[in-house]
Amino acid sequence: MGDRSIENKVLALKEKLSGAENVVVLTGAGISAESGVPTFRGEGGLWRTYRATDLATPEAFENDPKLVWEFYGWRRQLLAPLDPNPGHYALAELERRIPRFTLITQNIDGLHQKAGSANILELHGNLWWVRCTRCGSLTEDRTVPLPELPRCGSCRGLLRPHVVWFGEMLEPKILDQAYEAIRDCGVMLVVGTSGTVQPAASMGVIARKQGATVAEVNLDPTPYSGAYDISISGKAGEILPRLL
Ligand code: BV8
Ligand code: ZN
């Protein structure tokens, strides 16, 4: 079957999207892989080399804020020169064509914004924003890399990356908006995520339960592949432009 079946699935999905009024897309690290951003679990993945699960936690920041800022400073240096890839641009174009469109991302790299997407829900925060641990002030900051212990401009409190760490709650407002978008959508795409991290991982099956057609575009099979209507195995940068 090989390409034939992929071609058929892409055509079926393209057909579904062309008539869709309300589309939701959930993305993960896989959509940024072709831009040069390491994923979490793949070869050379962040969690393999830097055991990010040990560093992306409030405890780690409590114990050794310098080490955690070193990790995020390294990711800033890595990300700063990188650009969106055809997968990001295809989603930005899709948003322009579909009356109601919501992009929910687990990524913190800001590449969807760079590609021109507008209606974005960043479930896990953003690497280019910092938050004061004392007064809570939120500032966009593109310094690369940040000083080892960046301080708040107004209260001198210690700044932290404005990202959601393991064991931390997602922002309720953002999570509510995501579930709201999922409730009304007719089609949902799940792109480039291994379906490991909750609550994002179960959003596709929730959409399906509520009657949406759910399609996955991912390099490898995931625990949810069998639960979706369409599961296309391929690179986001190659598959997504073929849906336009
Ligand atoms: C929460 C920001 C309520 C930081 C991230 C035990 C203790 C404590 C918590 C838990 C626990 N057990 C479960 C939990 C809940 C936990 C969780 O799910 N843990 C997992 C590891 C088991 N979740 C949480 O803690 C969340 N909060 O639940 O709050 C709560 C409160 C207290 C206690 C309990 C619950 C918060 C989760 C947010 C964590 N922050 N990121 C940072 O980035 O540094 S998560 C991190 O993983 C990224 O955001 C990333 O997006 C996300 C998911 O990874 P993926 O995006 O899927 O990336 P991955 O590498 O895994 O997969 C890439 C895929 O792409 C692969 O399938 C590959 O095949 C594919 N691919 C590769 N190339 C391509 C491609 N596809 C297409 N094209 C390509 N070219
Ligand atoms: Zn402050």
Side-chain angles (χ1 to χ4, degrees):
M1 285 290 271
D3 259 17
R4 208 50 236 126
S5 86
I6 291 186
E7 188 47 41
N8 291 339
K9 290 178 183 175
V10 168
L11 287 176
L13 182 51
K14 182 175 166 146
E15 180 66 27
K16 268 279 163 199
L17 286 168
S18 62
E21 285 294 308
N22 185 334
V23 170
V24 169
V25 181
L26 170 69
T27 61
I31 195 165
S32 296
E34 289 155 272
S35 296
V37 183
T39 60
F40 286 83
R41 293 166 195 82
E43 294 312 307
L46 282 176
W47 291 7
R48 289 269 165 76
T49 42
Y50 285 83
R51 298 188 56 71
T53 20
D54 300 342
L55 293 168
T57 69
E59 295 75 22
F61 190 70
E62 188 70 31
N63 297 338
D64 190 344
K66 268 203 181 109
L67 175 67
V68 173
W69 263 120
E70 213 177 282
F71 173 54
Y72 285 94
W74 174 76
R75 287 173 70 185
R76 282 182 168 227
Q77 276 177 307
L78 196 79
L79 269 167
L82 301 184
D83 288 317
N85 65 63
H88 294 106
Y89 288 115
L91 293 184
E93 175 55 29
L94 207 54
E95 178 171 8
R96 287 188 280 271
R97 299 184 181 185
I98 292 177
R100 281 182 65 194
F101 186 96
T102 307
L103 175 57
I104 303 172
T105 187
Q106 300 172 85
N107 300 341
I108 65 172
D109 56 33
L111 290 177
H112 284 305
Q113 287 88 335
K114 233 175 172 178
S117 288
N119 188 21
I120 304 173
L121 297 174
E122 292 184 308
L123 293 181
H124 298 159
N126 188 303
L127 186 62
W128 304 108
W129 283 74
V130 291
R131 188 168 83 232
C132 177
T133 56
R134 187 180 299 160
C135 72
S137 74
L138 206 48
T139 326
E140 183 169 6
D141 177 299
R142 307 198 73 84
T143 324
V144 175
L146 278 158
E148 286 179 339
L149 289 174
R151 292 271 160 201
C152 170
S154 45
C155 81
R156 305 301 305 148
L158 179 61
L159 295 176
R160 61 165 278 177
H162 181 54
V163 299
V164 180
W165 282 326
F166 287 100
E168 291 189 318
M169 301 294 283
L170 280 64
E171 259 180 63
K173 203 168 56 57
I174 293 182
L175 205 49
D176 289 349
Q177 286 174 288
Y179 287 127
E180 172 99 14
I182 288 169
R183 194 178 25 256
D184 306 336
C185 78
V187 182
M188 179 168 177
L189 302 187
V190 180
V191 181
T193 179
S194 62
T196 321
V197 172
Q198 296 298 351
S202 35
M203 289 184 174
V205 284
I206 290 173
R208 190 140 199 299
K209 254 194 220 105
Q210 289 165 348
T213 299
V214 183
E216 180 185 63
V217 175
N218 206 63
L219 202 55
D220 307 313
T222 71
Y224 293 89
S225 301
Y228 297 144
D229 299 280
I230 303 174
S231 179
I232 301 170
S233 75
K235 292 185 172 184
E238 289 165 15
I239 301 290
L240 297 181
R242 288 163 55 185
L243 298 174
L244 296 177

